[in-house]
Amino acid sequence: MGKLQANAKSNRLKNSGGVMPDRLGTNTALMKMFYQAEKQSHETNSGKLLVVLLYLWLTQQLDDFLLHANEKPLTVDDIPDCHKVKNSDTCEAHRFKNHKFEDGKSWTYYARATITQNGEKKFEWQPIPNSLIHIFKPFVSNHSYNVSWLTAAEKQQLLNLLMAKWRKPAEIEHFPAIRKQLFFKYITSCIRTDNKLSSLTKSLLLPTDIRHHRHAAVYQQKNSEQVRAELFHAQDRYLSRLFTHANSLGVSKLLTLTFSSSSKVGKATLPNISLLNDNAKRNIPADITSSKVGVSFHSKWVGDDLEKYADESVCYGSSRLIPESEIVAIFRHLHDEITSSKPENKAGQAALIHYHNLCANHTALLFILLTGMRPTHAISINKQSHYDYRRTTVSDKGFQREIRICDYLRQQILHYTTLQQKLSLKLNLSNALPWAWSLYDANNQATAISAKSLRQFLHQRANGIVPYVLRHQFAQSAATSIIHKLTTHQIDRLMGHAEYGEHLGSDHVFPASIKQQDLFLDSLPARYGLKELKYVKFIQQIKPC
């Protein structure tokens, strides 16, 4: 394999649709961490250290730990003060709480930092994933409010554990293990390769320098509840794939949190808890198993009563997205306008040209809505670069990429080309432009549809709406499609978000997914209430001028 091909393959493997980190090597590193914690002095409460360490690992706070350690010596101040708070307390860094639901069951939440659209740092309550609830729920319950989980001495022990060379226990001496730094970045690596996690949620979880498609997130829109639910299920997938594999290895005793009897955890001494023991996961509140998993609650004193409120929702992503009903209304009005503008039998040349231009702009808007094309790059199809209007190639940001055309759009394009041909014959018009649809000016000269002219056309019919909104709508439709659900990689391909190794000519290296994409594209016309519009039937009876 050549250097360029190797680089392209490496780029693909690290991102959506790539291979998840090796389970055996990651599990071995996890067992080494537990083993190293147990080897510390007898006064060390290794269970407490491992709970804090699991929290830092889950929330990606260890990603650059060794790098920071090389830049400057780390101190106990670099280990956060994790503590339990009341439901009525605000959500701030490293806080945990147990929330009780109406069915009497409870769940543990931790404070997750996120950046809002305004660049403001905000903390939101995130439910602990199923795979760890049997660890964190009793641990948090047995702590007093606003008391740091680790003393200064225990923080130093945790630092020593992180910096020590991790050895393998004799039982797994023959198991391969990944490097410590790769183990620390396990969750981040899973987020990058996860093909179910949306680009928008990934953008909230990954540093800017490792986001694959930096602008993909701006085309989708989600609120806090949707992001929390996505992350909740994603984290559990990443942990379950490890723990299910570890269970098959029969290494439960090597992944047990030991709480020292000489050092109590809050109110009582906890029994030893196996990381692989999922018995507690069966007692899950209905709110966690339902669609409400992403809703976060807080309590507030109202007089003498403590009442429950849902946390304020924050919107992330596209600022251009409008309600889908408005898109439906725009195209319904366009349909009515074209139908009512049909030329009469004695219509003059000006009326026919006006009607043609109306149909051409309608076709251009349909093209953007049903393909997701950038209206600043391609508004029409090159007559020489299509395959019976089922597929076409367009130049997009300096690259050629393939566009698949759904059956409805193809039919509308054929209606338009028939209209164009008949008008050209009747009015003796010439059109040497390379584009499949175009306009005629006041002098009956063919002119290309431009981003500016299309924007003005749409603005006259929908004040304040620009064609780029249709591209945002296409992306949101792809992200929210349920019946024909698409992977993150498929959405990126449809949107034209591609980096090295993903451009036209590299499709053969990806799993076959064309059929699923076609099914999604063919579902869009019905979703937007689009009806077939036979432009040409209105001029069939008009005599040549």
Side-chain angles (χ1 to χ4, degrees):
M1 182 183 293
K3 183 177 180 180
L4 294 180
Q5 290 86 348
N7 288 340
K9 180 179 179 181
S10 175
N11 180 57
R12 293 191 298 269
L13 288 176
K14 290 186 294 186
N15 298 294
S16 297
V19 180
M20 287 276 189
D22 177 59
R23 290 187 300 176
L24 179 56
T26 305
N27 269 325
T28 303
L30 188 62
M31 287 181 273
K32 287 170 64 178
M33 182 180 80
F34 272 63
Y35 180 64
Q36 191 65 37
E38 292 294 336
K39 286 179 61 179
Q40 303 217 45
S41 63
H42 293 296
E43 286 95 27
T44 301
N45 193 328
S46 62
K48 285 175 66 176
L49 300 188
L50 288 170
V51 169
V52 175
L53 194 47
L54 286 171
Y55 157 67
L56 296 176
W57 179 59
L58 175 71
T59 53
Q60 304 162 256
Q61 297 181 61
L62 295 178
D63 280 11
D64 299 316
F65 179 81
L66 295 181
L67 178 62
H68 294 158
N70 290 331
E71 292 175 349
K72 66 172 186 177
L74 298 180
T75 67
V76 293
D77 294 331
D78 295 299
I79 303 297
D81 285 315
C82 299
H83 56 280
K84 172 186 174 183
V85 297
K86 298 179 180 178
N87 264 305
S88 55
D89 290 339
T90 57
C91 184
E92 295 181 4
H94 312 302
R95 290 188 168 190
F96 291 74
K97 71 170 184 178
N98 281 337
H99 179 79
K100 193 171 185 179
F101 294 95
E102 294 178 358
D103 59 4
K105 300 175 183 178
S106 63
W107 203 264
T108 303
Y109 289 75
Y110 68 91
R112 179 180 62 84
T114 188
I115 305 297
T116 66
Q117 299 281 74
N118 301 325
E120 176 187 357
K121 191 173 185 179
K122 178 182 175 66
F123 289 94
E124 298 179 326
W125 290 117
Q126 178 69 35
I128 288 287
N130 277 354
S131 299
L132 291 178
I133 191 62
H134 66 291
I135 300 289
F136 279 87
K137 186 177 176 182
F139 186 83
V140 173
S141 297
N142 279 278
H143 269 85
S144 300
Y145 294 116
N146 300 313
V147 176
S148 178
W149 291 354
L150 300 181
T151 64
E154 288 170 331
K155 287 184 179 181
Q156 186 59 57
Q157 292 169 353
L158 181 55
L159 269 179
N160 295 340
L161 172 60
L162 288 168
M163 297 303 298
K165 182 177 178 61
W166 294 354
R167 306 279 183 184
K168 292 181 186 177
E171 296 93 326
I172 59 167
E173 190 63 40
H174 59 292
F175 284 8
I178 61 174
R179 291 186 293 112
K180 185 192 294 185
Q181 186 58 62
L182 290 179
F183 169 74
F184 285 164
K185 291 188 175 184
Y186 171 74
I187 299 295
T188 296
S189 299
C190 288
I191 290 171
R192 292 186 69 178
T193 56
D194 192 346
N195 222 1
K196 296 181 180 179
L197 200 62
S198 68
S199 294
L200 176 54
T201 301
K202 288 187 180 193
S203 72
L204 299 173
L205 302 173
L206 296 175
T208 305
D209 60 328
I210 64 170
R211 293 177 195 168
H212 191 40
H213 302 305
R214 292 177 293 280
H215 304 297
V218 303
Y219 290 99
Q220 300 172 20
Q221 191 178 90
K222 290 183 182 293
N223 57 32
S224 301
E225 291 75 26
Q226 293 168 322
V227 171
R228 275 194 290 264
E230 259 203 294
L231 179 57
F232 174 78
H233 293 300
Q235 287 180 334
D236 199 52
R237 285 198 302 273
Y238 309 153
L239 297 174
S240 293
R241 68 183 296 269
L242 285 184
F243 300 165
T244 302
H245 179 257
N247 258 321
S248 69
L249 298 174
V251 292
S252 178
K253 68 176 184 178
L254 299 179
L255 291 173
T256 299
L257 291 87
T258 304
F259 295 95
S260 173
S261 58
S262 61
S263 177
K264 290 187 176 181
V265 178
K267 303 172 184 177
T269 300
L270 289 174
N272 296 345
I273 304 176
S274 171
L275 192 61
L276 309 184
N277 180 9
D278 62 351
N279 290 333
K281 291 190 289 182
R282 299 171 187 166
N283 193 29
I284 301 175
D287 283 295
I288 292 294
T289 57
S290 70
S291 58
K292 296 180 182 179
V293 61
V295 180
S296 174
F297 300 97
H298 68 277
S299 298
K300 184 178 180 181
W301 286 102
V302 180
D304 295 330
D305 299 322
L306 191 62
E307 297 185 1
K308 185 175 75 172
Y309 293 87
D311 289 337
E312 181 182 359
S313 182
V314 178
C315 187
Y316 301 102
S318 174
S319 57
R320 282 181 166 176
L321 202 64
I322 62 175
E324 193 169 303
S325 58
E326 290 190 31
I327 301 292
V328 173
I330 288 171
F331 281 90
R332 184 181 296 125
H333 292 156
L334 264 175
H335 185 282
D336 294 342
E337 181 180 359
I338 292 173
T339 303
S340 62
S341 299
K342 62 180 181 180
E344 300 295 337
N345 288 342
K346 296 181 181 180
Q349 183 167 298
L352 294 175
I353 294 297
H354 171 77
Y355 180 75
H356 167 272
N357 290 349
L358 186 60
C359 296
N361 281 309
H362 180 240
T363 304
L365 292 174
L366 285 175
F367 180 64
I368 298 169
L369 178 68
L370 300 178
T371 65
M373 271 308 304
R374 295 178 176 90
T376 51
H377 286 73
I379 296 175
S380 186
I381 294 173
N382 192 302
K383 296 175 182 176
Q384 306 300 320
S385 302
H386 71 86
Y387 305 89
D388 193 25
Y389 293 113
R390 299 181 187 278
R391 291 177 293 137
T392 185
T393 54
V394 298
S395 179
D396 191 9
K397 288 199 170 184
F399 294 95
Q400 290 292 320
R401 74 178 181 100
E402 183 182 74
I403 299 295
R404 307 189 70 80
I405 298 173
C406 69
D407 292 340
Y408 169 85
L409 179 57
R410 177 179 179 271
Q411 191 61 56
Q412 286 302 130
I413 292 173
L414 292 176
H415 287 326
Y416 169 79
T417 55
T418 303
L419 168 68
Q420 187 184 59
Q421 292 165 5
K422 288 186 175 292
L423 272 182
S424 296
L425 290 173
K426 292 179 183 296
L427 302 180
N428 195 26
L429 301 174
S430 62
N431 187 345
L433 295 177
W435 310 114
W437 49 88
S438 54
L439 306 175
Y440 287 105
D441 62 16
N443 299 317
N444 295 338
Q445 297 297 311
T447 61
I449 301 178
S450 66
K452 181 179 179 180
S453 69
L454 190 62
R455 187 167 59 249
Q456 291 172 341
F457 173 84
L458 184 57
H459 184 70
Q460 291 168 359
R461 290 155 178 80
N463 189 26
I465 305 299
V466 297
Y468 225 105
V469 167
L470 304 181
R471 174 170 162 82
H472 283 247
Q473 187 60 50
F474 179 85
Q476 186 72 1
S477 298
T480 57
S481 178
I482 298 175
I483 298 177
H484 305 295
K485 193 168 183 61
L486 300 178
T487 65
T488 303
H489 172 70
Q490 288 172 326
I491 296 173
D492 287 337
R493 298 296 289 159
L494 288 173
M495 290 295 294
H497 294 138
E499 293 192 7
Y500 188 64
E502 299 176 309
H503 297 296
L504 186 65
S506 298
D507 285 328
H508 66 282
V509 302
F510 295 104
S513 60
I514 298 301
K515 183 177 180 180
Q516 185 68 7
Q517 293 179 44
D518 286 345
L519 289 172
F520 163 72
L521 293 173
D522 283 331
S523 73
L524 290 180
R527 179 168 180 166
Y528 297 130
L530 300 174
K531 298 179 181 178
E532 184 180 1
L533 192 52
K534 297 180 179 179
Y535 311 126
V536 71
K537 74 175 184 178
F538 299 134
I539 65 164
Q540 287 176 342
Q541 304 302 321
I542 298 178
K543 298 178 180 179
C545 297

